Amino acid sequence: MWPKILIQSLKTQRKSFIFWIVGLVGLIALYMAIYPSVQESAQALNEYIEKMPEAFRAAFIGESDYASPVGYISSEVYTQMLPLLFLFYAIGVGSSAIAGEEEKGTLDILLATPIRRSRVVLEKWGALIGGLLFLSVVVVLGLFVGIKFVDITIALDKLIAVTLSLFLLSLSFGTLALLIGSFTGSKGIAIGLTTAVAVLTFFINALAPIVDFLEKIQKISPFYHYTANNPIVNGLDWVSVFFFACISLVFLILSIVAFRKRDLMI
Amino acid sequence: MDSSSVIETSKLTKYYGKQVGVMDLDLAVHEGEVFGYLGPNGAGKSTTIKLLLNFINPTGGSMTVFGKDPQKQSTSILGDIGYIPGEIHMYDTLSGKDHLKFQASLQSGVDWKYVKKLATRLQVDLNKPIRSLSHGNKQKIAIIAAFMHEPKLLILDEPTTGLDPLIQREFYDLVSEVNQAGSTFFISSHVLPEIERMCHRVGILKEGRLMVTEEIETLKKRAVRSLEIQFTKEVKASDLQGIKGIRELQVEENIAHCKVEGSLDPLIKKISKYEVLNLITQEADLEQVFLDYYKKDKNVA
């Protein structure tokens, strides 16, 4: 059967997708434009970062190497800008999928029909995947073209690998937002809790190198798996792909279980 | 179980926490009838509808729609139901046409010519975005959505909200035609003349309990009329007391005001002894029946 709800959910985002394209391409262009000047002072920047307190550096800068072109893309674009934007999108869409429609009162349009609740969740999840894939393609294409202007060489397959890792990271958090929304029916709680989990797991991963007990649990953090194997250089780490696939599927199944029999506030 | 019942509930109960939604509801809606579900806001009308549509789960009791359990077989039930929610919320950025196309894609058996016919009949422009429509026009889109797949059962929660009188009349005609073609209706309302106009049978709901289920005609017979009798001469209240069905008697000089339940005959016989100048009565509407029903109940309590 044709996934009408999935298609409809993506259709309603048409306008916002245009802004996402403009925004993402614009930001990539900006990063490319400042690259030459960053490269000139790469030495100084690296030294500056070296001098920062270790805790601060771990938490807010991460592994960065401004001297190498790949390091620049990896740290500036893929560790700072893109995860923030992609998580913003994924958590927004995930929390709107069920809870948003429930709060707006439009859920009855979908449910007063012969369509199963589990299918509504599945198609909404499909729309989340579709939206994230779309943004991922924009990023890959944007960077693939963008780096040509500044003479950075990154193989297309590595660009795809690191973007896929980003996609999986965002999908996990988006699905968590879907789960919390399906369970509570509250978009606010879904956004708030998911964001809290994201911040917490981000710091678990970031501070792991300098805090002993965090090092032990570092691997529960999706952010660890996001950069595991340094995909922009070495390609994807399949254990991490498996990790993302597992948590996303578990969240999805729990979403269906939570939503299937719940009293709806519509 | 009665095979001709489209909706049947038995001791159906829903609590929201400690608050009663509906309580021990025994309801039967027969195939081919237009059933009015009457009660003030918060009486449990929408709760009943949400239970039937499987939006919420009952706390106790049981129900069937088309002989099936909504909790277990909702998908096979919902294809044969048309639903107008009490509060209309739509995807505002879509046009009426796109919205209905989307809704039609979730149902089966929608004839787009019929959609267009309904739109013309209800006088709504399907090309405008929904957010630019007035409340009444949104309601019209919701009406089309409920009727377009020609369902066997229509569950309508306050369906005429926001419609102007002309369109309301058009809507009554539509209900009557579709009913004659064989569809069953379950219509909730607190607008009483509308129920009187559309329905064969009515259930009156109060604080989550079904107080009475009655043919409209029977209710009308039990109806209470307000009367004003003008006599040529001054009369005493005691002269008119003790007449069957009379209450709230007030006499001022030569004019008597009272209410009469059921037949007017005993009163007429009694006042025929006096010279009557004028007798003013109003057609008993359901509103009066309804209010009186509540009042009676309160007096007992």
Side-chain angles (χ1 to χ4, degrees), chain A residues 4-5 8 101 104-106 108-117 261-264 266, chain B residues 14 50 54-57 71 75 78-79 83 85 89-91 94 99 102-103 105-107:
Chain A
K4 296 127 186 168
I5 297 171
Q8 181 63 30
E101 294 235 20
K104 270 194 291 175
T106 49
D108 54 14
I109 294 168
L110 309 177
L111 294 181
T113 69
I115 289 174
R116 278 173 208 285
R117 288 196 193 180
K261 293 279 171 199
R262 182 167 63 82
D263 277 8
L264 303 178
I266 47 174
Chain B
K14 176 66 183 174
K50 285 170 192 171
N54 192 35
F55 291 169
I56 54 176
N57 303 291
Q71 283 188 284
T75 47
L78 286 165
Y83 168 55
H89 298 283
M90 293 175 165
Y91 300 114
L94 299 182
H99 205 283
F102 174 56
Q103 288 186 277
S105 77
L106 303 177
Q107 289 287 0

